């Protein structure tokens, strides 16, 4: 309710629960807002560390952007407050946890689950692009799963290594499109590339351009060295979709709204999302 957003929150409004994770700027805790019994994730950032890294403006800008985003597949930022030493972000709690852990556990997803996730992400990105917000950094580490199994772009803040516990740690190049790897300025079509990389990883369990050395990943990306393994068996419709997203010329990538009409998505994605 809009009245609630005007409220000045304080720590005493919350019962603090178990830690959900920790990162460069602070810790995240499960918490319950006392009056409503609403369960949230409370992210605690240390002002000293924010100042040291000169990210206060970035945080202010992000809080501003996030407070206007309302989409079932984008993790909500309900509000924030601060005290002497810390800034607190009141975030939506995704009850089924981190997607990359689920992917590690299953190795790879069924075509139905992969298509359902890709369709949800496409709808969330269409929504963001409509609000001129791009590059939602959609690698598996930044995706959470809600109570009904729905995907949430959790956008962990540009340099917050909160949950990037994957072997290819924070600096993974895997998701960057050619124009970003060649540090050319980028537009919303970067998200189409990243979604294509994600779709491949959902189906095969590894990103398409993975290599031992960064330099090899870099070369495979700029050459779009796309190969489909013979195992697991993946439909040609899925490969066709991925091939239309992982295109070097960003203007030739399949637009997101066309993705939602692609036969593989229409055939396999759960309409519920
Ligand atoms: C909208 O979201 C965010 C908005 C802003 C920031 C942020 O830190 N911005 C920043 C910080 C410093 C400098 C500049 C910018 C982070 C998030 N989001 C998360 O951090 C997601 C994981 S915390 C929540 C959460 C929920 N549900 C879960 N279920 C299991 C674990 C878990 C974990």
């Amino acid at each position: 309710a809009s009245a609630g957003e005007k409220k000045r929150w304080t720590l005493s409004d919350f019962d603090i629960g178990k830690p959900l994770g920790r990162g460069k700027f602070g810790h995240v805790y499960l918490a319950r807002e006392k009056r409503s019994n609403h369960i949230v994730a409370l992210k605690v950032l240390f002002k000293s560390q924010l100042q040291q890294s000169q990210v206060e403006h970035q945080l202010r800008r992000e809080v501003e952007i996030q407070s206007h985003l309302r989409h079932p597949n984008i993790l909500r930022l309900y509000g924030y407050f601060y005290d002497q030493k810390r800034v607190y972000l009141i975030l939506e709690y995704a009850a089924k946890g981190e997607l990359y852990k689920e992917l590690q556990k299953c190795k790879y997803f069924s075509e139905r689950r992969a298509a359902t996730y890709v369709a949800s992400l496409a709808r969330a990105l269409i929504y963001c692009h409509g609000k001129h917000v791009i590059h939602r950094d959609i690698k598996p580490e930044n995706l959470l799963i809600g109570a009904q199994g729905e995907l949430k772009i959790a956008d962990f803040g540009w340099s917050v290594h909160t949950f990037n516990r994957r072997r290819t740690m924070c600096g993974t190049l895997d998701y960057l499109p050619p124009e970003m790897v060649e540090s050319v300025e980028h537009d919303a079509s970067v998200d189409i590339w990243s979604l294509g990389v994600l779709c491949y990883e959902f189906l095969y369990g590894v990103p398409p351009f993975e290599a031992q050395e960064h330099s090899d990943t870099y070369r495979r990306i700029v050459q779009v060295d796309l190969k489909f393994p013979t195992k697991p068996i993946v439909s040609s419709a899925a490969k066709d979709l991925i091939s239309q997203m992982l295109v070097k010329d960003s203007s030739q990538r399949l637009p997101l709204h066309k993705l939602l009409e692609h036969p593989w998505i229409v055939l396999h994605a759960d309409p519920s999302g």
Side-chain angles (χ1 to χ4, degrees):
S2 65
E5 271 141 19
K6 299 291 168 292
K7 171 174 175 38
R8 296 215 58 74
W9 296 106
T10 70
L11 202 48
S12 60
D13 290 319
F14 299 91
D15 288 319
I16 307 298
K18 66 174 182 177
L20 289 171
R22 70 197 174 293
K24 186 163 178 266
F25 293 105
H27 292 206
V28 185
Y29 299 91
L30 199 56
R32 180 178 49 231
E33 199 278 314
K34 290 173 182 169
R35 219 176 318 285
S36 64
N37 277 334
H38 189 200
I39 297 292
V40 295
L42 201 60
K43 186 163 195 174
V44 183
L45 302 163
F46 294 101
K47 282 185 181 175
S48 57
Q49 298 206 347
L50 294 173
Q51 278 146 9
Q52 267 159 25
S53 320
Q54 284 120 33
V55 291
E56 305 101 301
H57 61 282
Q58 151 86 18
L59 176 58
R60 247 188 283 277
R61 195 164 61 87
E62 188 165 314
V63 166
E64 174 57 27
I65 293 172
Q66 304 266 8
S67 58
H68 294 100
L69 293 181
R70 296 270 195 291
H71 189 278
N73 302 110
I74 298 176
L75 197 79
R76 279 289 310 278
L77 170 65
Y78 297 119
Y80 69 98
F81 57 96
Y82 45 85
D83 61 21
Q84 190 64 25
K85 288 198 221 138
R86 287 165 286 260
V87 177
Y88 303 85
L89 303 181
I90 308 168
L91 296 163
E92 178 182 358
Y93 170 60
K96 289 203 169 148
E98 297 171 82
L99 179 103
Y100 89 92
K101 281 184 183 167
E102 184 62 20
L103 185 53
Q104 280 176 343
K105 200 170 74 179
C106 310
K107 254 175 78 49
Y108 48 82
F109 294 144
S110 68
E111 300 217 29
R112 173 176 175 191
R113 185 168 187 182
T116 302
Y117 284 162
V118 168
S120 311
L121 289 169
R123 286 194 296 273
L125 291 171
I126 288 167
Y127 172 82
C128 288
H129 294 170
K131 295 202 165 230
H132 308 295
V133 174
I134 61 165
H135 198 41
R136 309 291 301 158
D137 210 2
I138 52 174
K139 51 184 180 282
E141 286 82 350
N142 286 348
L143 301 174
L144 294 170
I145 305 173
Q148 274 74 41
E150 74 281 20
L151 211 51
K152 304 257 179 194
I153 299 179
D155 211 354
F156 291 57
W158 58 289
S159 68
V160 186
H161 309 299
T162 323
F163 297 89
N164 294 352
R165 281 196 290 268
R166 200 157 80 159
R167 66 199 174 296
T168 56
M169 263 321 258
C170 46
T172 178
L173 282 173
D174 285 313
Y175 285 81
L176 296 182
E179 63 274 22
M180 281 192 78
V181 162
E182 290 165 331
S183 66
V184 167
E185 56 99 27
H186 62 277
D187 63 13
S189 62
V190 300
D191 289 335
I192 299 167
W193 175 279
S194 303
L195 189 52
V197 173
L198 201 64
C199 184
Y200 183 105
E201 183 164 2
F202 284 162
L203 291 166
Y204 291 103
V206 290
F209 307 113
E210 194 174 53
Q212 274 310 317
E213 302 301 324
H214 262 197
S215 53
D216 297 329
T217 304
Y218 172 102
R219 185 167 356 92
R220 293 196 64 199
I221 291 172
V222 296
Q223 287 173 357
V224 192
D225 173 24
L226 179 61
K227 299 186 191 100
F228 295 109
T230 49
K231 287 274 178 257
I233 295 174
V234 169
S235 66
S236 49
K239 294 178 201 169
D240 173 73
L241 175 60
I242 293 168
S243 307
Q244 292 193 57
M245 299 171 82
L246 300 182
V247 174
K248 180 150 175 114
D249 177 351
S250 60
S251 67
Q252 297 307 306
R253 288 171 199 157
L254 187 69
L256 287 170
H257 65 279
K258 287 266 185 244
L259 176 148
L260 290 174
E261 295 158 8
H262 188 280
W264 184 68
I265 295 288
V266 172
L267 202 62
H268 294 279
D270 276 349
S272 61

